[in-house]
Amino acid sequence: MSTPSSRATPAVTGSSARPVFVRILKLGAILAVAIAVIGGVVGFLVDGERGLLSALVGTAMAILFTGLTAASILVANRFSGTEFFTAIFFAVVMGAWIVKFAIFLVLVFLLRDAEWINPTVMFICIIAGVLGSLIVDVVVVATSRMGYVSDVTLPGE
């Protein structure tokens, strides 16, 4: 005779972590606006239009790189409940990481000698975006209320 827990099957409706990642993306967007405004004003005061543009480019790069991670997990979680979920999940997330790395290398080579970029302002905005997104991730995950066992449908439910 099997116990109820051995008959539990994965839910095919998606991951219960979805609200967490949606919240991360929403707060990340608010963070991006804050960095763009603050970095843009400081960049403009430091180096005029060149500083403003550098701040906006740095903010866009930071948000692109950090947002791709949460977005890739949301996309990968659409396959929860399928036979190859684990393989698909890691393929999507690692594929997004490789894409981020390639984009980063291309942007570094394209922007390293650009006269219209202030590298210091851009670098500071990228660092602010990365550190800010890490803080957002920690706060959202730490304050989320998720059970230890989720995404499971018990018999009779």
Side-chain angles (χ1 to χ4, degrees):
M1 178 174 201
S2 62
T3 62
S5 62
S6 67
R7 291 183 286 165
T9 57
V12 293
T13 58
S15 172
S16 62
R18 179 176 167 71
V20 173
F21 288 106
V22 168
R23 186 168 174 226
I24 286 172
L25 288 174
K26 286 179 182 176
L27 291 178
I30 293 169
L31 172 71
V33 170
I35 292 172
V37 169
I38 295 168
V41 168
V42 172
F44 186 78
L45 293 174
V46 168
D47 198 10
E49 289 179 16
R50 182 175 168 222
L52 172 64
L53 189 57
S54 300
L56 296 177
V57 169
T59 301
M61 287 175 63
I63 297 311
L64 171 72
F65 298 138
T66 57
L68 268 175
T69 300
S72 69
I73 292 172
L74 282 172
V75 168
N77 277 337
R78 290 180 180 252
F79 297 97
S80 67
T82 63
E83 185 177 349
F84 297 107
F85 170 65
T86 304
I88 293 170
F89 181 86
F90 285 109
V92 170
V93 173
M94 288 305 293
W97 185 85
I98 291 169
V99 167
K100 287 191 313 185
F101 186 66
I103 291 171
F104 178 76
L105 288 178
V106 167
L107 288 175
V108 164
F109 287 117
L110 287 176
L111 297 176
R112 69 177 171 187
D113 295 326
E115 293 181 16
W116 51 274
I117 292 288
N118 181 321
T120 305
V121 172
M122 186 174 73
F123 177 75
I124 290 171
C125 287
I126 290 172
I127 295 301
V130 170
L131 292 177
S133 70
L134 290 174
I135 292 168
V136 165
D137 291 350
V138 167
V139 168
V140 169
V141 170
T143 59
S144 67
R145 295 183 156 267
M146 290 183 58
Y148 291 109
V149 179
S150 61
D151 302 337
V152 183
T153 305
L154 297 175
E157 287 186 14

